[in-house]
Amino acid sequence: MSKVVTGLDVLLQDEALCDQLKHARVGLLVNPTSVTRTFEHAIDALQKKGVNIVRLFGPEHGVRAEAQDMEAVTESIDPISKLPTISLYGHSYDSLEPDPEQVRDLDVVIADIQDIGTRYYTYAYTIGLMMKVCGQVDTACWVLDRPNPLGGEVIEGNRVDPECKSFVGMQPLAMRHGMTLGELARYFMRYGGWECQLKVIEMKGWERSMWYDQTGVPWVMPSPNMPTLQTAITYPGQCILEGTNLSEGRGTTRPFELFGAPYLDAQKFKEELDRYNLEGVSFRACSFKPMFQKHAEKVCRGVQLHVTDREVFRSVKTTFCILAAAQKLAPEQFGWREQAYEFVEDVPAIDLLCGQLWVREKLEGGMHPVELVDEMASHRTEFEQKRQECLIY
């Protein structure tokens, strides 16, 4: 198995950089994934090196990831390290970035969080917003790079238009963007308007063809509903189900692999999906009962998707086929999420997730889902060109 060295481990092995940090006031933007190869948390590992950690910053779910998705985090003291903690996911849109005064007295903010390679995953934007504020107050920002669990070669979906900008799409990225957080930080600097004194601590040994389980880096759940690499593989498309009244499997042990609703016929749903002859995936009719969120404690009839070949499986295409099948089988019951989503009330969640208004409109108009996904390629050309200029590996 390959032995990728993450940015954190590279930093800890670099005595000159560690000595530099001993004489600085340091803030850490971290969560449970911020660990060394031996599972030591960055807070502990850096303190052992004599780094002066002044305060912590926590992304969505919190420094210790105790909160569910879209649940406000109000922590002020980390219960383990006892360090002062600033939540960057509170009750309002303004809470998503730190107050400049919370960063001004720091010499450097170090960000070390595991991403999963999908534009809806909010950690990249939390780092980007931190970069922006660091730039405003002349504080350096170091991003410790980690592998993209899905590799760095395949791109799926479209980009985000300004009218669909939100915390699940603050930059015009593709749904599956094929970049590491270090590369995204470079993209934000060059094209996103989030400028600062940026330093990316690069990984050693990572290749773009690698899936996470080929890196030798231990898997730690990036968030409460991202338990395994298999979950991450399905997520680029399946997160879109959050914009519907289908359960995306939250509240079960297989989020984003299980999906359905009380109003569906599981067997017919499976048969309809089989007609698309999608590569790399098989569907199994099933029933499940979410214990929280959509359809909580109600029996849902639906499907579990089983990825049979991850090299050819395309989650985005699969999910749009799921949407089309649900609309066809239950036109009166299937619908889009109507509640506010990620602090946005005036744009439907499905549009925020899809990133462009035409996607929902064409799906509602009966466009074949495979044709719809094929058309997305022309809508991400600009992103693909800019992306190439920001790659590191």
Side-chain angles (χ1 to χ4, degrees):
M1 179 179 289
S2 300
K3 294 297 183 182
V4 173
V5 184
T6 67
L8 174 61
D9 282 312
V10 169
L11 171 60
L12 291 168
Q13 294 167 10
D14 191 318
E15 294 299 332
L17 285 178
C18 289
D19 286 343
Q20 182 180 337
L21 293 173
K22 291 178 184 178
H23 305 288
R25 290 175 59 83
V26 177
L28 286 188
L29 173 50
V30 290
N31 75 352
T33 65
S34 313
V35 296
T36 68
R37 179 176 293 279
T38 58
F39 295 101
E40 185 174 27
H41 198 277
I43 299 171
D44 306 309
L46 289 168
Q47 285 182 327
K48 287 181 180 178
K49 286 288 187 178
V51 175
N52 178 28
I53 303 172
V54 175
R55 70 179 60 95
L56 307 177
F57 297 91
E60 183 177 6
H61 309 294
V63 168
R64 303 295 174 178
E66 297 165 344
Q68 282 292 334
D69 66 300
M70 292 189 281
E71 179 182 340
V73 179
T74 58
E75 60 192 350
S76 58
I77 297 291
D78 175 47
I80 298 177
S81 69
K82 308 304 181 184
L83 286 166
T85 302
I86 306 297
S87 170
L88 299 181
Y89 195 89
H91 293 282
S92 68
Y93 189 85
D94 291 340
S95 71
L96 302 179
E97 64 181 62
D99 185 287
E101 296 308 311
Q102 296 167 336
V103 179
R104 191 184 303 276
D105 65 332
L106 302 175
D107 297 301
V108 59
V109 174
I110 298 176
D112 181 32
I113 304 177
Q114 178 63 57
D115 188 41
I116 61 162
T118 304
R119 77 155 179 245
Y120 335 105
Y121 218 56
T122 60
Y123 298 156
Y125 308 122
T126 297
I127 291 176
L129 292 171
M130 175 61 79
M131 289 169 55
K132 182 186 78 168
V133 175
C134 283
Q136 292 170 352
V137 299
D138 202 28
T139 295
C141 184
W142 293 10
V143 175
L144 311 187
D145 214 1
R146 289 182 175 271
N148 183 324
L150 310 181
E153 296 181 329
V154 177
I155 302 172
E156 292 185 69
N158 56 352
R159 56 174 174 77
V160 179
D161 281 344
E163 60 267 29
C164 294
K165 181 179 176 181
S166 74
F167 200 41
V168 291
M170 298 194 81
Q171 296 282 356
L173 309 175
M175 293 171 171
R176 177 179 176 183
H177 50 66
M179 301 175 76
T180 69
L181 275 181
E183 292 170 339
L184 285 173
R186 287 160 54 98
Y187 181 93
F188 297 157
M189 275 278 291
R190 183 173 298 190
Y191 297 112
W194 293 338
E195 300 179 2
C196 67
Q197 302 172 49
L198 175 67
K199 183 181 187 68
V200 176
I201 308 296
E202 300 177 11
M203 295 178 283
K204 293 181 180 179
W206 188 70
E207 298 176 5
R208 307 202 75 83
S209 62
M210 288 180 175
W211 295 86
Y212 198 92
D213 55 7
Q214 297 169 327
T215 66
V217 178
W219 176 270
V220 175
M221 291 194 304
S223 57
N225 287 284
M226 195 59 58
T228 68
L229 172 59
Q230 187 76 1
T231 320
I233 290 170
T234 66
Y235 187 77
Q238 291 296 86
C239 182
I240 295 170
L241 298 184
E242 292 184 12
T244 74
N245 64 3
L246 294 176
S247 168
E248 66 275 8
R250 289 185 186 273
T252 76
T253 57
R254 286 290 177 179
F256 306 108
E257 295 175 55
L258 292 169
F259 53 94
Y263 56 77
L264 286 171
D265 181 311
Q267 189 60 35
K268 289 182 179 178
F269 198 20
K270 174 211 178 307
E271 292 170 356
E272 190 66 30
L273 290 171
D274 285 342
R275 292 189 178 97
Y276 290 109
N277 294 314
L278 297 169
E279 293 185 295
V281 62
S282 292
F283 300 102
R284 180 181 63 83
C286 65
S287 299
F288 59 94
K289 183 189 291 186
M291 299 311 294
F292 56 84
Q293 293 209 6
K294 279 185 279 185
H295 308 302
E297 300 188 18
K298 296 180 181 178
V299 174
C300 291
R301 312 296 181 185
V303 170
Q304 181 176 357
L305 65 82
H306 296 262
V307 177
T308 56
D309 185 345
R310 64 188 183 183
E311 298 293 342
V312 298
F313 170 67
R314 295 294 178 262
S315 179
V316 172
K317 180 184 292 186
T318 300
T319 297
F320 280 105
C321 290
I322 290 169
L323 295 179
Q327 285 188 122
K328 178 179 178 181
L329 293 176
E332 299 300 321
Q333 295 99 334
F334 174 81
W336 309 120
R337 177 190 174 108
E338 297 179 351
Q339 304 94 328
Y341 187 76
E342 292 292 1
F343 309 105
V344 178
E345 296 182 356
D346 58 345
V347 180
I350 190 64
D351 292 346
L352 300 178
L353 288 162
C354 289
Q356 294 175 312
L357 301 177
W358 68 270
V359 179
R360 171 180 51 80
E361 293 168 352
K362 291 201 173 184
L363 195 63
E364 290 174 339
M367 184 176 190
H368 193 284
V370 175
E371 294 178 3
L372 186 153
V373 173
D374 290 343
E375 188 171 323
M376 286 181 169
S378 64
H379 289 262
R380 64 171 185 262
T381 301
E382 182 180 1
F383 165 71
E384 290 178 334
Q385 293 171 346
K386 292 178 177 178
R387 170 186 177 275
Q388 285 295 325
E389 299 176 18
C390 301
L391 300 184
I392 299 172
Y393 310 95

